[in-house]
């Protein structure tokens, strides 16, 4: 209990429970961590949606096995992630012959922020800013709340301003650039 009070006093808020359990957060903070982390669930969800957008998932159902193979991610783990995305209506699932998953909307209509919220829960940097959180009894005297609120707004604005289509463009540009460098190297090697 004393450690919890000390951590709350030092950092101004309780640990963010949906990103890390309280014990994991304490371990992370006490052992020099202190970083906010997006789990593999959130990162893989972004990869799945980008993969689907690049491979016709806007118009046709793609088997999860195909996505898992291309992304080199366990199909079993992807099942749990895709279930969250279907529940939040970010993907449409179809069972049976010709089944799989497809995008529920155009890649440009998906924001990174909405995908991370679907998989990670609230992405606020501190628990007192989480949607539905109890009002912090120290809020009126808190010298850090304005900073946390601004950081939360900046994170949300940044993540909500990037679409799956934007991620695809960056990937296409990187592949094109990588291909150009490889072609140039072959010419100079001769």
């Amino acid at each position: 209990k004393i450690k919890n009070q000390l951590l709350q006093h030092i950092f101004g808020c309780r640990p963010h429970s949906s990103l890390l359990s309280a014990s994991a957060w304490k371990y992370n903070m006490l052992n020099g961590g202190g970083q906010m982390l997006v789990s593999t669930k959130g990162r893989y969800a972004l990869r799945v949606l980008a993969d689907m957008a690049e491979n016709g998932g806007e118009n046709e159902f793609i088997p999860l096995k195909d996505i898992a193979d291309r992304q080199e991610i366990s199909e079993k783990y992807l099942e749990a992630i895709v279930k969250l995305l279907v529940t939040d209506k970010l993907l449409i699932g179809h069972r049976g012959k010709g089944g799989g998953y497809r995008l529920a909307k155009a890649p440009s209509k998906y924001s990174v922020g909405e995908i991370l919220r679907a998989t990670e829960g609230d992405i606020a940097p501190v628990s007192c800013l989480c949607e539905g959180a109890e009002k912090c009894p120290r809020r009126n005297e808190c010298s850090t709340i304005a900073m946390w609120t601004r950081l939360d707004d900046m994170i949300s604005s940044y993540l909500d301003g990037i679409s799956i289509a934007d991620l695809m463009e960056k990937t296409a540009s990187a592949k094109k650039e990588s291909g150009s460098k490889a072609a140039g190297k072959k010419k100079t090697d001769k």
Side-chain angles (χ1 to χ4, degrees), residues 30-63:
L30 291 172
N31 291 297
Q35 65 270 18
M36 293 180 288
L37 300 173
V38 174
S39 72
T40 54
K41 198 182 323 177
R43 295 192 318 266
Y44 289 177
L46 292 170
R47 286 173 52 187
V48 164
L49 289 166
D51 180 283
M52 292 178 73
E54 291 172 347
N55 291 288
E58 192 173 351
N59 302 313
E60 60 188 62
F61 288 97
I62 300 174

Side-chain angles (χ1 to χ4, degrees), residues 40-113:
T40 54
K41 198 182 323 177
R43 295 192 318 266
Y44 289 177
L46 292 170
R47 286 173 52 187
V48 164
L49 289 166
D51 180 283
M52 292 178 73
E54 291 172 347
N55 291 288
E58 192 173 351
N59 302 313
E60 60 188 62
F61 288 97
I62 300 174
L64 193 59
K65 183 182 182 340
D66 293 356
I67 300 167
D69 289 346
R70 281 192 298 268
Q71 293 300 316
E72 299 176 344
I73 302 170
S74 157
E75 186 176 354
K76 184 112 174 113
Y77 190 49
L78 284 186
E79 287 174 2
I81 294 169
V82 165
K83 183 177 180 181
L84 293 171
L85 298 173
V86 169
T87 299
D88 273 25
K89 297 182 179 14
L90 298 174
L91 289 180
I92 299 167
H94 178 69
R95 294 178 186 246
K97 186 174 169 108
Y101 298 91
R102 73 174 177 85
L103 300 176
K105 52 190 173 183
S108 62
K109 301 295 182 188
Y110 286 93
S111 79
V112 168

Side-chain angles (χ1 to χ4, degrees), residues 114-139:
E114 79 177 313
I115 296 161
L116 292 178
R117 285 182 201 94
T119 56
E120 302 288 330
D122 202 313
I123 56 175
V126 290
S127 63
C128 57
L129 294 177
C130 292
E131 190 174 317
E134 290 181 31
K135 186 173 179 177
C136 178
R138 296 184 34 83
R139 189 172 182 111

